[in-house]
Amino acid sequence: MWAGGLLRASFPAVPSGCRTQSALAQLRGVLEGELEGIRGAGTWKSERVITSRQGPHIHVDGVSGGILNFCANNYLGLSSHPEVIQAGLQALEEFGAGLSSVRFICGTQSIHKSLEAKIARFHQREDAILYPSCFDANAGLFEALLTPEDAVLSDELNHASIIDGIRLCKAHKYRYRHLDMADLEAKLREAQKHRLRLVATDGAFSMDGDIAPLQEICHLASIYGALVFVDECHATGFLGPTGRGTDELLGVMDQVTIINSTLGKALGGASGGYTTGPGPLVSLLRQRARPYLFSNSLPPAVVGCASKALDLLMESNTIIQSMAAKTHRFRSKMEAAGFTISGANHPICPVMLGDARLASCMADDMLKRGIFVIGFSYPVVPKGKARIRVQISAVHSEEDIDRCVQAFVEVGRLHGALP
């Protein structure tokens, strides 16, 4: 009675419904203020609605005619490949729409185990574990692996999922300057007092199209007794002679300990991610990785599509060579026109503009010319580093690329980005 009386005396005599409405009104005010700030800064992100399959040629709601798509992660053009689609349909028919369960209860099918084994063979690792996304793979790895006795050293421009995954773990955290090997060495020297030391980096950085210096990273890791983790989402399937990724490209496949990557970009374009590496690590993740333990299994159709995409990739590297040539064509023509393109020889080709409004307005005018590209600005990229990120696919034709360059030249002159 006393506690109840004290509780009643602590609040004004206002009906609970009124208090709820007042709190909701306050929330709306806070949210509208935040949203207006985003609009005012010119960093509002609109979503264009695609009404067709993903591919180099798409249809967009509200825009007449076909549109050339230059901003998808569909690097190998496999998201609408007929054999990939057929494999998904077959898996859907044979194994159903979904598992209604997590893996360790009743959510593991033979196709999940088969794809995990195929991924491990592809990367020449001992084992692999599937997740609903690579964001989940990054969220699951660090917390399960690292303890307060350990240290993780992260490139300052690593993907948000790596940053968030590292935040979840209790290891000591060091951040080194982007691609700065002298700073990494200084941090490794400082971290010698810890049990395990894990260097974490993107293989290819998604906003800038630059590639981690894995040879130097692995060399430093060897000197200072560290392990190396690489996120290969923007490398798996197309970097390296056979598409194994940046570790193959730079000749250090035997020196990178752990790889996380995605099935949602080059390998079919649907969803799903994975970790591949030492067998005991994968076994530990099956026991402790929270996104794995508490998320539904990947749908069978997604597994079937990704498995077929890997088959196609391992059968031939012709498609990889085609994309490299088209990437060079776009970069060289854009630079000749006067644009600054970040990164080096990667199908991510950021057209650097600096100003967020300029990037947004140019992207809108590109769409009017039949080219689908998106402006990127803060907080996706640092302030003052706004850009339009163009992504080349193996299924773009040379005519597609030339048309995109010509549109950029026209729009660039219209907005003063070119003389």
Side-chain angles (χ1 to χ4, degrees):
M1 287 295 295
W2 179 83
L6 179 63
L7 186 62
R8 283 194 295 272
S10 299
F11 292 98
V14 178
S16 60
C18 294
R19 289 198 298 269
T20 300
Q21 290 300 316
S22 176
L24 179 57
Q26 181 184 21
L27 172 63
R28 287 184 181 277
V30 170
L31 296 178
E32 287 300 333
E34 289 291 324
L35 295 173
E36 190 55 40
I38 295 172
R39 293 187 188 96
T43 57
W44 185 267
K45 299 163 194 65
S46 299
E47 296 181 357
R48 298 169 179 170
V49 179
I50 298 172
T51 59
S52 62
R53 291 181 177 183
Q54 182 65 275
H57 302 265
I58 58 176
H59 291 277
V60 177
D61 187 35
V63 182
S64 61
I67 302 296
L68 278 176
N69 185 6
F70 274 92
C71 65
N73 297 315
N74 187 24
Y75 294 111
L76 299 178
L78 298 181
S79 62
S80 296
H81 192 286
E83 291 185 51
V84 172
I85 293 173
Q86 185 57 43
L89 291 172
Q90 183 177 338
L92 181 66
E93 179 67 30
E94 184 174 352
F95 292 97
L99 277 299
S100 306
S101 178
V102 300
R103 288 285 298 272
F104 82 94
I105 298 178
C106 59
T108 298
Q109 292 176 318
S110 55
I111 53 173
H112 293 95
K113 300 303 292 183
S114 175
L115 179 55
E116 286 169 336
K118 190 176 293 187
I119 288 169
R121 290 197 306 273
F122 178 75
H123 285 286
Q124 299 178 21
R125 298 307 197 274
E126 293 177 12
D127 202 355
I129 177 174
L130 290 170
Y131 289 90
S133 70
C134 192
F135 205 114
D136 285 326
N138 285 336
L141 174 68
F142 302 99
E143 184 181 25
L145 174 62
L146 302 176
T147 74
E149 298 179 64
D150 306 315
V152 57
L153 304 95
S154 176
D155 187 293
E156 65 180 349
L157 293 188
N158 275 340
H159 190 269
S161 60
I162 301 175
I163 294 169
D164 286 358
I166 288 173
R167 284 174 177 162
L168 292 171
C169 78
K170 293 182 172 61
H172 296 264
K173 302 167 181 68
Y174 298 81
R175 186 174 66 173
Y176 63 91
R177 290 188 294 271
H178 183 49
L179 308 183
D180 188 331
M181 294 300 96
D183 193 38
L184 173 58
E185 183 170 18
K187 299 295 195 302
L188 279 167
R189 197 177 294 122
E190 185 180 348
Q192 286 301 289
K193 56 182 175 286
H194 304 298
R195 184 188 65 164
L196 297 178
R197 294 161 297 283
L198 179 67
V199 180
T201 182
D202 276 308
F205 290 82
S206 61
M207 287 298 115
D208 294 285
D210 48 10
I211 295 172
L214 289 186
Q215 292 175 334
E216 292 86 345
I217 289 173
C218 289
H219 178 66
L220 289 173
S222 176
I223 292 173
Y224 291 97
L227 306 168
V228 178
F229 160 86
V230 182
D231 181 306
E232 290 284 67
C233 285
H234 291 275
T236 297
F238 55 94
L239 287 189
T242 62
R244 264 62 179 180
T246 53
D247 60 343
E248 181 189 45
L249 177 71
L250 298 174
V252 292
M253 289 186 74
D254 60 337
Q255 299 174 57
V256 173
T257 314
I258 308 165
I259 287 175
N260 278 8
S261 195
T262 182
L263 307 174
K265 293 182 171 59
L267 301 183
S271 63
Y274 58 85
T275 296
T276 184
L281 168 65
V282 172
S283 294
L284 180 67
L285 293 174
R286 294 192 195 279
Q287 301 303 312
R288 291 186 179 172
R290 291 166 69 86
Y292 180 82
L293 291 171
F294 296 102
S295 297
N296 261 19
S297 310
L298 269 181
V302 172
V303 176
C305 288
S307 185
K308 175 53 70 172
L310 272 173
D311 290 342
L312 293 172
L313 181 59
M314 289 189 283
E315 287 171 6
S316 171
N317 65 351
T318 303
I319 195 169
I320 300 169
Q321 296 169 348
S322 169
M323 192 185 64
K326 291 167 184 174
T327 296
H328 176 73
R329 185 182 187 91
F330 178 81
R331 283 180 169 271
S332 61
K333 283 180 172 286
M334 287 289 285
E335 289 169 352
F339 287 104
T340 298
I341 311 298
S342 180
N345 300 323
H346 192 284
I348 292 174
C349 304
V351 182
M352 304 303 294
L353 298 169
D355 182 77
R357 290 184 186 276
L358 175 62
S360 178
C361 290
M362 283 185 60
D364 288 343
D365 281 345
M366 289 288 287
L367 185 61
K368 294 174 183 176
R369 287 163 173 77
I371 309 294
F372 193 124
V373 289
I374 295 293
F376 286 75
S377 55
Y378 181 82
V380 180
V381 297
K383 290 182 178 180
K385 295 292 184 71
R387 80 280 309 264
I388 292 176
R389 187 182 70 174
V390 175
Q391 289 170 273
I392 305 299
S393 172
V395 289
H396 283 130
S397 68
E398 291 185 352
E399 292 75 16
D400 293 339
I401 291 168
D402 293 347
R403 181 179 158 194
C404 181
V405 172
Q406 181 58 38
F408 261 110
V409 171
E410 293 174 5
V411 171
R413 288 173 179 163
L414 178 67
H415 289 275
L418 288 180

